Amino acid sequence: MNPHRRTAVAAGSLFLLTEVAAIAGAVLYRPLLGAADGRLAQGADTQALLGVLCEVVLVVAVAGTGAALFPVLRRHGEGLALGYAFGRLLEAAVIALGIVAVLALVTLRRDPGESAGADAALAAVHDWTFLLGPNIALGLNTVVLAYLAYRARLVPRFIAVLGLIGGPLICLSAVAVMFGAYAQLSAAGSVAALPVFAWELGFAGWLIAKGFGPGTGAVSGVKGASAG
């Protein structure tokens, strides 16, 4: 396997890992964040800590996608490639802030008599980081990557178009949530997230199965070296 093929497989695998870790974290957090009376059900704190571990993996995977793709993307626009790499770092940092809020919330909910309303504030911090990170930052990063993928033919263009549609759509959905149109976790929010979800799965699956497209500098560079 040549280095560019390994890069494609690594990037695709990291994208799949972000999906698995994000979904697992969201599911595991629900008993903690949904404890309206401020008291945890038995085992909910352990479950939330497992969710934290999933989101630590998510932070590493999100940052890793930017680092893994940068050598390929820079051939097609160094400024945008840098923007994507730093955008993914920003997204990871916002998610990490949400992790800290959840850890603090676990501590307070273990002794609810001492929380004095701080637990509700920490739950709100997590909800806002979820909105700003895996929604707005993700949407903006998706537009940059999908544009480069479309222009450089990293993947078939119909896959890139999913990203060009899904990125703005999830940003608009986040703004709608911000102004109270509907809840973050709702039918409308899920529908708005579907194109970006399909884009990431399609992008990851193509990179793992086929590698970078024939129009990229990565592939042409390998062929040129072989011919020489």
Side-chain angles (χ1 to χ4, degrees), residues 140-188:
L140 295 174
N141 289 331
T142 295
V143 171
V144 173
L145 179 57
Y147 170 72
L148 287 171
Y150 184 91
R151 190 175 72 178
R153 296 183 181 270
L154 294 177
V155 293
R157 283 187 162 174
F158 76 90
I159 295 178
V161 167
L162 281 173
L164 291 172
I165 294 170
L169 185 58
I170 201 168
C171 286
L172 290 173
S173 177
V175 172
V177 171
M178 189 180 298
F179 285 93
Y182 48 81
Q184 291 184 50
L185 299 177
S186 63

Short mmCIF file of all heavy atoms in Angstrom, two decimals, residues 140-188:
data_model
loop_
_atom_site.label_atom_id
_atom_site.label_comp_id
_atom_site.label_asym_id
_atom_site.label_seq_id
_atom_site.Cartn_x
_atom_site.Cartn_y
_atom_site.Cartn_z
N LEU A 140 -19.32 24.47 8.78
CA LEU A 140 -18.34 25.30 8.07
C LEU A 140 -17.17 24.47 7.56
O LEU A 140 -16.73 24.63 6.41
CB LEU A 140 -17.84 26.41 8.98
CG LEU A 140 -18.89 27.44 9.43
CD1 LEU A 140 -18.29 28.42 10.44
CD2 LEU A 140 -19.45 28.20 8.23
N ASN A 141 -16.68 23.56 8.39
CA ASN A 141 -15.58 22.69 7.97
C ASN A 141 -16.01 21.78 6.81
O ASN A 141 -15.22 21.51 5.90
CB ASN A 141 -15.10 21.83 9.14
CG ASN A 141 -14.36 22.64 10.18
OD1 ASN A 141 -13.73 23.64 9.86
ND2 ASN A 141 -14.43 22.23 11.43
N THR A 142 -17.25 21.33 6.85
CA THR A 142 -17.76 20.47 5.79
C THR A 142 -17.77 21.20 4.46
O THR A 142 -17.41 20.65 3.41
CB THR A 142 -19.18 19.98 6.13
OG1 THR A 142 -19.12 19.14 7.29
CG2 THR A 142 -19.79 19.20 4.98
N VAL A 143 -18.19 22.47 4.47
CA VAL A 143 -18.22 23.26 3.23
C VAL A 143 -16.82 23.37 2.63
O VAL A 143 -16.63 23.19 1.42
CB VAL A 143 -18.82 24.66 3.48
CG1 VAL A 143 -18.64 25.55 2.26
CG2 VAL A 143 -20.30 24.55 3.83
N VAL A 144 -15.82 23.66 3.46
CA VAL A 144 -14.44 23.81 2.98
C VAL A 144 -13.95 22.51 2.37
O VAL A 144 -13.42 22.47 1.25
CB VAL A 144 -13.50 24.27 4.11
CG1 VAL A 144 -12.05 24.27 3.64
CG2 VAL A 144 -13.89 25.66 4.59
N LEU A 145 -14.11 21.40 3.11
CA LEU A 145 -13.61 20.11 2.62
C LEU A 145 -14.38 19.66 1.38
O LEU A 145 -13.78 19.16 0.42
CB LEU A 145 -13.72 19.06 3.73
CG LEU A 145 -13.25 17.65 3.34
CD1 LEU A 145 -11.81 17.67 2.84
CD2 LEU A 145 -13.40 16.69 4.51
N ALA A 146 -15.69 19.82 1.39
CA ALA A 146 -16.49 19.38 0.24
C ALA A 146 -16.14 20.19 -1.01
O ALA A 146 -16.10 19.65 -2.12
CB ALA A 146 -17.98 19.50 0.56
N TYR A 147 -15.88 21.50 -0.83
CA TYR A 147 -15.49 22.33 -1.96
C TYR A 147 -14.16 21.85 -2.56
O TYR A 147 -14.03 21.70 -3.78
CB TYR A 147 -15.37 23.79 -1.53
CG TYR A 147 -14.74 24.68 -2.58
CD1 TYR A 147 -15.43 25.02 -3.73
CD2 TYR A 147 -13.43 25.15 -2.41
CE1 TYR A 147 -14.84 25.82 -4.70
CE2 TYR A 147 -12.84 25.95 -3.38
CZ TYR A 147 -13.54 26.28 -4.52
OH TYR A 147 -12.96 27.07 -5.48
N LEU A 148 -13.18 21.59 -1.69
CA LEU A 148 -11.89 21.09 -2.17
C LEU A 148 -12.03 19.72 -2.80
O LEU A 148 -11.41 19.41 -3.82
CB LEU A 148 -10.88 21.05 -1.02
CG LEU A 148 -10.34 22.41 -0.54
CD1 LEU A 148 -9.54 22.25 0.73
CD2 LEU A 148 -9.49 23.05 -1.64
N ALA A 149 -12.87 18.87 -2.19
CA ALA A 149 -13.09 17.52 -2.73
C ALA A 149 -13.75 17.60 -4.11
O ALA A 149 -13.42 16.82 -5.01
CB ALA A 149 -13.94 16.71 -1.77
N TYR A 150 -14.68 18.54 -4.27
CA TYR A 150 -15.36 18.71 -5.55
C TYR A 150 -14.39 19.23 -6.60
O TYR A 150 -14.33 18.72 -7.72
CB TYR A 150 -16.53 19.68 -5.38
CG TYR A 150 -17.37 19.87 -6.62
CD1 TYR A 150 -18.48 19.06 -6.84
CD2 TYR A 150 -17.05 20.86 -7.55
CE1 TYR A 150 -19.26 19.24 -7.99
CE2 TYR A 150 -17.82 21.03 -8.69
CZ TYR A 150 -18.93 20.22 -8.91
OH TYR A 150 -19.68 20.38 -10.04
N ARG A 151 -13.63 20.25 -6.24
CA ARG A 151 -12.72 20.89 -7.20
C ARG A 151 -11.59 19.95 -7.61
O ARG A 151 -11.20 19.91 -8.79
CB ARG A 151 -12.15 22.17 -6.59
CG ARG A 151 -11.39 23.03 -7.59
CD ARG A 151 -10.96 24.33 -6.96
NE ARG A 151 -9.89 24.16 -6.00
CZ ARG A 151 -9.31 25.17 -5.34
NH1 ARG A 151 -9.76 26.41 -5.53
NH2 ARG A 151 -8.34 24.95 -4.48
N ALA A 152 -11.05 19.20 -6.65
CA ALA A 152 -9.91 18.33 -6.92
C ALA A 152 -10.31 16.90 -7.27
O ALA A 152 -9.45 16.07 -7.54
CB ALA A 152 -8.97 18.30 -5.70
N ARG A 153 -11.64 16.62 -7.25
CA ARG A 153 -12.15 15.28 -7.52
C ARG A 153 -11.53 14.24 -6.58
O ARG A 153 -11.10 13.16 -7.02
CB ARG A 153 -11.91 14.89 -8.98
CG ARG A 153 -12.66 15.76 -9.98
CD ARG A 153 -12.45 15.27 -11.41
NE ARG A 153 -13.15 16.12 -12.37
CZ ARG A 153 -14.41 15.91 -12.77
NH1 ARG A 153 -15.09 14.88 -12.28
NH2 ARG A 153 -14.97 16.71 -13.65
N LEU A 154 -11.45 14.60 -5.31
CA LEU A 154 -10.97 13.62 -4.32
C LEU A 154 -11.89 12.42 -4.26
O LEU A 154 -11.45 11.29 -4.01
CB LEU A 154 -10.88 14.27 -2.94
CG LEU A 154 -9.86 15.38 -2.73
CD1 LEU A 154 -9.97 15.94 -1.32
CD2 LEU A 154 -8.45 14.88 -2.99
N VAL A 155 -13.18 12.68 -4.44
CA VAL A 155 -14.21 11.64 -4.44
C VAL A 155 -15.17 11.98 -5.58
O VAL A 155 -15.12 13.08 -6.13
CB VAL A 155 -14.98 11.59 -3.09
CG1 VAL A 155 -14.07 11.15 -1.95
CG2 VAL A 155 -15.61 12.95 -2.77
N PRO A 156 -16.06 11.05 -5.96
CA PRO A 156 -17.06 11.39 -6.99
C PRO A 156 -17.84 12.63 -6.60
O PRO A 156 -18.14 12.86 -5.43
CB PRO A 156 -17.95 10.15 -7.02
CG PRO A 156 -17.06 9.04 -6.60
CD PRO A 156 -16.15 9.63 -5.57
N ARG A 157 -18.19 13.43 -7.57
CA ARG A 157 -18.77 14.73 -7.28
C ARG A 157 -20.12 14.66 -6.59
O ARG A 157 -20.49 15.58 -5.86
CB ARG A 157 -18.83 15.56 -8.57
CG ARG A 157 -17.45 16.11 -8.93
CD ARG A 157 -17.46 17.06 -10.09
NE ARG A 157 -16.23 17.85 -10.10
CZ ARG A 157 -15.91 18.70 -11.06
NH1 ARG A 157 -16.73 18.88 -12.08
NH2 ARG A 157 -14.78 19.38 -11.00
N PHE A 158 -20.86 13.58 -6.79
CA PHE A 158 -22.16 13.50 -6.11
C PHE A 158 -21.96 13.39 -4.60
O PHE A 158 -22.81 13.86 -3.83
CB PHE A 158 -22.99 12.32 -6.65
CG PHE A 158 -22.56 10.96 -6.18
CD1 PHE A 158 -23.10 10.40 -5.03
CD2 PHE A 158 -21.63 10.22 -6.90
CE1 PHE A 158 -22.71 9.15 -4.59
CE2 PHE A 158 -21.24 8.96 -6.48
CZ PHE A 158 -21.78 8.42 -5.33
N ILE A 159 -20.85 12.79 -4.17
CA ILE A 159 -20.57 12.74 -2.73
C ILE A 159 -20.20 14.13 -2.23
O ILE A 159 -20.67 14.57 -1.18
CB ILE A 159 -19.44 11.73 -2.44
CG1 ILE A 159 -19.88 10.31 -2.81
CG2 ILE A 159 -19.03 11.79 -0.96
CD1 ILE A 159 -18.80 9.25 -2.60
N ALA A 160 -19.35 14.83 -2.98
CA ALA A 160 -18.96 16.19 -2.59
C ALA A 160 -20.17 17.12 -2.53
O ALA A 160 -20.26 17.97 -1.64
CB ALA A 160 -17.92 16.74 -3.56
N VAL A 161 -21.11 16.94 -3.44
CA VAL A 161 -22.31 17.78 -3.44
C VAL A 161 -23.12 17.59 -2.16
O VAL A 161 -23.70 18.54 -1.64
CB VAL A 161 -23.18 17.48 -4.69
CG1 VAL A 161 -24.56 18.09 -4.56
CG2 VAL A 161 -22.48 18.01 -5.94
N LEU A 162 -23.15 16.36 -1.63
CA LEU A 162 -23.82 16.13 -0.35
C LEU A 162 -23.23 17.03 0.74
O LEU A 162 -23.96 17.59 1.56
CB LEU A 162 -23.69 14.66 0.07
CG LEU A 162 -24.62 13.66 -0.59
CD1 LEU A 162 -24.23 12.24 -0.16
CD2 LEU A 162 -26.07 13.94 -0.20
N GLY A 163 -21.90 17.17 0.74
CA GLY A 163 -21.26 18.05 1.72
C GLY A 163 -21.57 19.51 1.48
O GLY A 163 -21.78 20.27 2.42
N LEU A 164 -21.62 19.90 0.20
CA LEU A 164 -21.91 21.30 -0.12
C LEU A 164 -23.35 21.67 0.25
O LEU A 164 -23.66 22.84 0.51
CB LEU A 164 -21.67 21.54 -1.61
CG LEU A 164 -20.20 21.50 -2.04
CD1 LEU A 164 -20.09 21.55 -3.56
CD2 LEU A 164 -19.40 22.63 -1.40
N ILE A 165 -24.23 20.68 0.26
CA ILE A 165 -25.61 20.91 0.70
C ILE A 165 -25.72 20.79 2.21
O ILE A 165 -26.32 21.62 2.89
CB ILE A 165 -26.57 19.91 0.02
CG1 ILE A 165 -26.63 20.15 -1.49
CG2 ILE A 165 -27.97 19.99 0.64
CD1 ILE A 165 -27.36 19.07 -2.24
N GLY A 166 -25.11 19.74 2.75
CA GLY A 166 -25.26 19.43 4.17
C GLY A 166 -24.60 20.43 5.09
O GLY A 166 -25.13 20.73 6.16
N GLY A 167 -23.43 20.98 4.69
CA GLY A 167 -22.73 21.94 5.55
C GLY A 167 -23.57 23.17 5.85
O GLY A 167 -23.82 23.49 7.02
N PRO A 168 -24.03 23.89 4.82
CA PRO A 168 -24.88 25.06 5.09
C PRO A 168 -26.18 24.70 5.80
O PRO A 168 -26.67 25.46 6.65
CB PRO A 168 -25.16 25.63 3.69
CG PRO A 168 -24.02 25.14 2.84
CD PRO A 168 -23.69 23.79 3.39
N LEU A 169 -26.74 23.53 5.46
CA LEU A 169 -28.02 23.15 6.05
C LEU A 169 -27.90 22.94 7.55
O LEU A 169 -28.76 23.41 8.33
CB LEU A 169 -28.53 21.87 5.38
CG LEU A 169 -29.93 21.39 5.81
CD1 LEU A 169 -30.98 22.47 5.54
CD2 LEU A 169 -30.29 20.10 5.09
N ILE A 170 -26.82 22.29 8.01
CA ILE A 170 -26.69 22.06 9.44
C ILE A 170 -26.37 23.37 10.17
O ILE A 170 -26.77 23.55 11.33
CB ILE A 170 -25.63 20.97 9.74
CG1 ILE A 170 -25.87 20.39 11.14
CG2 ILE A 170 -24.22 21.48 9.61
CD1 ILE A 170 -25.08 19.13 11.42
N CYS A 171 -25.69 24.29 9.50
CA CYS A 171 -25.46 25.62 10.10
C CYS A 171 -26.78 26.37 10.26
O CYS A 171 -27.04 26.97 11.32
CB CYS A 171 -24.50 26.43 9.23
SG CYS A 171 -22.78 25.91 9.34
N LEU A 172 -27.61 26.35 9.23
CA LEU A 172 -28.91 27.01 9.31
C LEU A 172 -29.78 26.37 10.38
O LEU A 172 -30.51 27.07 11.11
CB LEU A 172 -29.61 26.95 7.95
CG LEU A 172 -29.01 27.82 6.84
CD1 LEU A 172 -29.70 27.53 5.51
CD2 LEU A 172 -29.13 29.29 7.19
N SER A 173 -29.71 25.05 10.50
CA SER A 173 -30.47 24.36 11.53
C SER A 173 -30.01 24.79 12.92
O SER A 173 -30.83 25.00 13.83
CB SER A 173 -30.31 22.84 11.37
OG SER A 173 -30.99 22.15 12.40
N ALA A 174 -28.69 24.94 13.10
CA ALA A 174 -28.16 25.38 14.39
C ALA A 174 -28.64 26.79 14.74
O ALA A 174 -28.96 27.07 15.90
CB ALA A 174 -26.63 25.34 14.37
N VAL A 175 -28.70 27.66 13.74
CA VAL A 175 -29.21 29.01 13.97
C VAL A 175 -30.69 28.95 14.36
O VAL A 175 -31.14 29.67 15.27
CB VAL A 175 -29.02 29.89 12.72
CG1 VAL A 175 -29.72 31.23 12.89
CG2 VAL A 175 -27.52 30.11 12.46
N ALA A 176 -31.45 28.06 13.71
CA ALA A 176 -32.86 27.90 14.06
C ALA A 176 -33.01 27.42 15.50
O ALA A 176 -33.88 27.91 16.25
CB ALA A 176 -33.53 26.91 13.11
N VAL A 177 -32.16 26.49 15.92
CA VAL A 177 -32.18 26.02 17.31
C VAL A 177 -31.82 27.16 18.26
O VAL A 177 -32.45 27.35 19.31
CB VAL A 177 -31.20 24.85 17.49
CG1 VAL A 177 -31.03 24.49 18.97
CG2 VAL A 177 -31.69 23.62 16.72
N MET A 178 -30.83 27.96 17.88
CA MET A 178 -30.38 29.07 18.70
C MET A 178 -31.52 30.06 18.99
O MET A 178 -31.64 30.58 20.10
CB MET A 178 -29.23 29.80 17.98
CG MET A 178 -28.51 30.84 18.79
SD MET A 178 -27.17 31.62 17.84
CE MET A 178 -26.11 30.22 17.50
N PHE A 179 -32.39 30.26 18.01
CA PHE A 179 -33.50 31.20 18.18
C PHE A 179 -34.80 30.52 18.61
O PHE A 179 -35.86 31.13 18.58
CB PHE A 179 -33.71 32.00 16.89
CG PHE A 179 -32.66 33.05 16.68
CD1 PHE A 179 -31.53 32.79 15.92
CD2 PHE A 179 -32.78 34.31 17.27
CE1 PHE A 179 -30.55 33.76 15.73
CE2 PHE A 179 -31.81 35.28 17.09
CZ PHE A 179 -30.68 35.01 16.32
N GLY A 180 -34.69 29.25 19.02
CA GLY A 180 -35.82 28.56 19.62
C GLY A 180 -36.85 27.99 18.67
O GLY A 180 -37.97 27.68 19.09
N ALA A 181 -36.51 27.81 17.40
CA ALA A 181 -37.47 27.26 16.44
C ALA A 181 -37.81 25.81 16.76
O ALA A 181 -38.95 25.38 16.61
CB ALA A 181 -36.92 27.38 15.01
N TYR A 182 -36.81 25.05 17.20
CA TYR A 182 -37.02 23.67 17.64
C TYR A 182 -35.81 23.24 18.47
O TYR A 182 -34.81 23.96 18.55
CB TYR A 182 -37.23 22.71 16.45
CG TYR A 182 -36.24 22.85 15.31
CD1 TYR A 182 -34.98 22.27 15.36
CD2 TYR A 182 -36.58 23.56 14.16
CE1 TYR A 182 -34.09 22.39 14.31
CE2 TYR A 182 -35.70 23.69 13.11
CZ TYR A 182 -34.45 23.09 13.18
OH TYR A 182 -33.57 23.22 12.14
N ALA A 183 -35.91 22.10 19.11
CA ALA A 183 -34.86 21.61 20.00
C ALA A 183 -33.71 21.02 19.19
O ALA A 183 -33.88 20.59 18.04
CB ALA A 183 -35.41 20.57 20.96
N GLN A 184 -32.53 20.97 19.81
CA GLN A 184 -31.37 20.39 19.14
C GLN A 184 -31.64 18.95 18.75
O GLN A 184 -31.37 18.53 17.63
CB GLN A 184 -30.14 20.45 20.06
CG GLN A 184 -29.61 21.84 20.31
CD GLN A 184 -28.35 21.82 21.14
OE1 GLN A 184 -27.42 21.08 20.84
NE2 GLN A 184 -28.31 22.61 22.19
N LEU A 185 -32.13 18.17 19.72
CA LEU A 185 -32.45 16.77 19.46
C LEU A 185 -33.94 16.66 19.16
O LEU A 185 -34.76 16.51 20.07
CB LEU A 185 -32.05 15.90 20.66
CG LEU A 185 -30.56 15.92 21.01
CD1 LEU A 185 -30.29 15.08 22.25
CD2 LEU A 185 -29.71 15.43 19.84
N SER A 186 -34.29 16.80 17.90
CA SER A 186 -35.69 16.78 17.47
C SER A 186 -35.75 16.19 16.08
O SER A 186 -34.72 15.99 15.42
CB SER A 186 -36.27 18.20 17.47
OG SER A 186 -35.57 19.01 16.54
N ALA A 187 -36.95 15.94 15.60
CA ALA A 187 -37.12 15.39 14.25
C ALA A 187 -36.56 16.36 13.20
O ALA A 187 -35.85 15.96 12.28
CB ALA A 187 -38.59 15.10 13.99
N ALA A 188 -36.86 17.66 13.37
CA ALA A 188 -36.37 18.65 12.40
C ALA A 188 -34.85 18.73 12.41
O ALA A 188 -34.21 18.80 11.35
CB ALA A 188 -36.97 20.02 12.72
#
